[in-house]
Amino acid sequence: MDILLLSNGKIAGNTNIMEFAQSAVIEQIKRTGAKKLVLIPYAVIRSSHDDRVAAVQDSFNSFGLDCEVIGLHQAQDPVKAIEEADGILVSGGNTWVLNKTLHDLGLVGPLRKAVLLDGKPYIGWSAGTNICCPTIRTTNDMPIVTAAVLSSLNFVPFQINPHYLEASVEGHMGETRDERIQEFLEINQHEPVIGIPEGTWLHLLDGKLSYHAANGKKLKLFSYDNEPVYYEQGQDIQFLMSHSC
Amino acid sequence: MDILLLSNGKIAGNTNIMEFAQSAVIEQIKRTGAKKLVLIPYAVIRSSHDDRVAAVQDSFNSFGLDCEVIGLHQAQDPVKAIEEADGILVSGGNTWVLNKTLHDLGLVGPLRKAVLLDGKPYIGWSAGTNICCPTIRTTNDMPIVTAAVLSSLNFVPFQINPHYLEASVEGHMGETRDERIQEFLEINQHEPVIGIPEGTWLHLLDGKLSYHAANGKKLKLFSYDNEPVYYEQGQDIQFLMSHSC
């Protein structure tokens, strides 16, 4: 498998989605030879799915990659479209709506087959990263739709918190991100959570996990009853893949 | 009914939970003559339920109210404890765990009876306010537990977003609170959302809804396809109660 899990779509100064990770995207597309990429836009709520497809096509064009981006929402048969695609892209937005739609349309199995068995490249950002965990229980998003199913694609055996940040608004008494993750650990004591700051990503290539940061920011590993541990680009984080859950 | 829905527990400078709304709490307790109050502490994850009961007892003591606060988690029979109490208090914390526990223990019906039919006073803050809406779909909390049930106590016919704030962390690209609420409205076009800032509360007394702000902050009403509208303490917001959902 060749899976890129980006914390988010753009950081300050970026024009295009995935721009901060463009070298990784270019390498992945060249390595896999993917030409026809299907974009899953279901997380996008506040703008049109077509616009998101166009924006992602612009990204590939600006990266100098000769790829065609096809919106899965335009496909008559989404399962067939996944089968016929060379690679899978999943946009950020609302994780709840995205995950519910994947389940409603019966796409979880086909996506797992495409990525894990057929080795098609996968790039997700934000909500598109959340859904690669066993469940979406570490999303930051508001549960705007009644979606009973929290299980997800389970490409990695740990929970990711994308858009991870330590800063908070001064004087605001709502829980900090760390407090929310600590609550998760109290309830789920055997499941670690990886906070990945904006501008960073995880890469899972043929079972080997690595961490990358366009801005030098660190990954933060939270596990029950332990102080959080920071990891930076280049440090070995392969042990995370052997966690069973 | 006599329901106080606080945005949060404490604002800067407060020693005790509910302190910023203490005049409203004192009036409610004197009006209803409640002596024996049951505290529902299930939302509390990062500290003990007993400690939360003690903290809320301290609040009542400091307000000069001669009330006994009993933790529902200590009751052999929680339904009976609600029936025997003079009033209901619901602490903030994680809304998902709170709402799931209410459903798991069969407390939704007994709480609705106690508050709506028997007229027992209710005070909730943060998660304890979220659960008074038709559903918990406008919580800010992380879904740390797989809880399929999103429907809740439905004391008011609109969704509340507690800890509402307009500020965001500079440079952070994650959705702002307003963007999250706009996503909610895109999916749920006939359901308004009321953002109540920290230090403010709603009061529902015998069907009459009013808004109160210890700090002068305004309520913000979000509805589909309309610009948000601000309301301040003293303005008529009764129309919110006639919204059907």
Side-chain angles (χ1 to χ4, degrees):
Chain A
M1 79 290 282
D2 196 336
I3 301 171
L4 287 170
L5 301 177
L6 280 57
S7 174
N8 63 317
K10 289 183 186 177
I11 55 175
N14 284 178
T15 303
N16 291 298
I17 295 169
M18 303 179 285
E19 185 173 324
F20 67 81
Q22 72 169 297
S23 62
V25 171
I26 291 169
E27 277 177 34
Q28 186 202 50
I29 297 299
K30 291 192 171 167
R31 185 167 51 238
T32 57
K35 291 281 178 195
K36 196 167 139 186
L37 302 170
V38 72
L39 173 73
I40 301 183
Y42 303 132
V44 179
I45 311 290
R46 286 173 293 118
S47 59
S48 85
H49 293 174
D50 286 342
D51 286 352
R52 187 56 54 96
V53 173
V56 173
Q57 180 71 64
D58 286 348
S59 291
F60 279 88
N61 295 348
S62 79
F63 300 166
L65 292 168
D66 181 25
C67 292
E68 182 192 4
V69 179
I70 301 158
L72 193 62
H73 65 295
Q74 295 283 12
Q76 289 282 333
D77 180 343
V79 172
K80 197 171 163 213
I82 289 169
E83 287 171 354
E84 291 178 353
D86 300 327
I88 315 292
L89 311 168
V90 185
S91 174
N94 186 280
T95 307
W96 294 89
V97 173
L98 171 62
N99 199 48
K100 179 178 191 299
T101 308
L102 294 185
H103 283 277
D104 286 351
L105 298 179
L107 300 182
V108 171
L111 284 170
R112 285 180 55 83
K113 177 178 182 297
V115 174
L116 298 181
L117 294 184
D118 302 339
K120 293 179 183 176
Y122 180 103
I123 307 173
W125 54 96
S126 190
T129 289
N130 272 310
I131 59 162
C132 295
C133 302
T135 69
I136 62 166
R137 283 169 300 154
T138 48
T139 178
N140 306 309
D141 295 343
M142 192 174 272
I144 60 172
V145 65
T146 292
V149 181
L150 282 81
S151 65
S152 204
L153 295 175
N154 201 9
F155 289 159
V156 292
F158 47 81
Q159 291 293 135
I160 299 169
N161 181 249
H163 296 275
Y164 174 74
L165 83 173
E166 291 178 332
S168 58
V169 174
E170 194 185 333
H172 184 63
M173 306 294 272
E175 288 86 349
T176 65
R177 190 69 60 84
D178 281 25
E179 287 170 344
R180 297 186 191 285
I181 295 172
Q182 292 300 343
E183 288 185 350
F184 178 91
L185 294 175
E186 284 288 336
I187 300 289
N188 308 283
Q189 300 187 356
H190 301 282
E191 299 181 57
V193 179
I194 315 301
I196 55 173
E198 294 184 345
T200 74
W201 66 95
L202 295 167
H203 188 193
L204 183 63
L205 176 62
D206 299 336
K208 178 104 184 98
L209 184 72
S210 56
Y211 174 67
H212 306 267
N215 47 18
K217 290 191 175 166
K218 292 177 183 171
L219 172 158
K220 193 167 175 184
L221 167 62
F222 299 83
S223 60
Y224 182 70
D225 218 14
N226 294 309
E227 285 294 310
V229 182
Y230 292 94
Y231 291 86
E232 57 189 27
Q233 181 170 323
Q235 281 190 279
D236 188 353
I237 55 168
Q238 188 62 26
F239 66 95
L240 292 171
M241 290 305 294
S242 58
H243 175 78
S244 70
C245 64
Chain B
M1 79 291 282
D2 196 335
I3 302 171
L4 286 170
L5 301 177
L6 280 57
S7 173
N8 64 317
K10 287 182 189 178
I11 55 175
N14 285 177
T15 302
N16 291 299
I17 295 169
M18 303 179 286
E19 185 174 323
F20 66 80
Q22 70 170 298
S23 61
V25 172
I26 291 168
E27 276 176 34
Q28 186 202 49
I29 297 300
K30 291 193 170 167
R31 184 169 49 239
T32 57
K35 291 280 179 196
K36 197 167 139 187
L37 302 170
V38 73
L39 174 74
I40 301 183
Y42 303 132
V44 179
I45 310 292
R46 287 173 293 117
S47 61
S48 85
H49 292 174
D50 286 342
D51 286 353
R52 186 57 51 98
V53 172
V56 174
Q57 180 71 65
D58 286 348
S59 292
F60 279 88
N61 296 347
S62 80
F63 301 165
L65 293 168
D66 181 25
C67 293
E68 182 191 5
V69 179
I70 301 158
L72 193 63
H73 65 295
Q74 295 282 13
Q76 289 282 333
D77 181 343
V79 172
K80 196 171 163 211
I82 289 169
E83 288 170 354
E84 291 178 352
D86 300 327
I88 315 292
L89 310 168
V90 184
S91 174
N94 186 281
T95 307
W96 295 89
V97 173
L98 170 61
N99 200 46
K100 180 178 190 301
T101 309
L102 295 186
H103 284 277
D104 286 351
L105 298 179
L107 300 183
V108 172
L111 284 170
R112 285 179 56 83
K113 177 177 183 298
V115 174
L116 298 182
L117 295 185
D118 302 338
K120 293 179 184 177
Y122 179 103
I123 308 173
W125 55 96
S126 190
T129 289
N130 272 309
I131 59 162
C132 294
C133 302
T135 69
I136 61 166
R137 283 169 300 154
T138 48
T139 178
N140 305 309
D141 295 344
M142 193 174 271
I144 59 173
V145 66
T146 292
V149 182
L150 282 81
S151 64
S152 205
L153 295 175
N154 201 9
F155 290 159
V156 292
F158 48 82
Q159 291 292 135
I160 299 168
N161 181 249
H163 296 276
Y164 174 74
L165 83 173
E166 291 178 331
S168 58
V169 174
E170 194 184 334
H172 184 64
M173 307 294 272
E175 288 87 349
T176 64
R177 189 70 60 83
D178 281 25
E179 288 169 345
R180 297 186 192 285
I181 295 172
Q182 292 299 342
E183 288 185 350
F184 178 91
L185 294 175
E186 284 288 336
I187 300 290
N188 309 284
Q189 301 186 357
H190 301 282
E191 299 181 55
V193 179
I194 314 301
I196 56 173
E198 294 184 344
T200 74
W201 66 95
L202 295 167
H203 187 194
L204 183 62
L205 176 62
D206 298 336
K208 178 105 185 100
L209 184 72
S210 57
Y211 174 67
H212 306 266
N215 47 18
K217 290 192 175 167
K218 292 176 183 171
L219 172 159
K220 193 167 173 183
L221 167 63
F222 299 84
S223 60
Y224 181 69
D225 218 14
N226 294 309
E227 286 294 309
V229 182
Y230 292 94
Y231 291 86
E232 56 190 25
Q233 180 171 323
Q235 282 189 277
D236 188 352
I237 55 168
Q238 188 61 26
F239 66 95
L240 291 170
M241 289 305 294
S242 57
H243 175 77
S244 69
C245 64

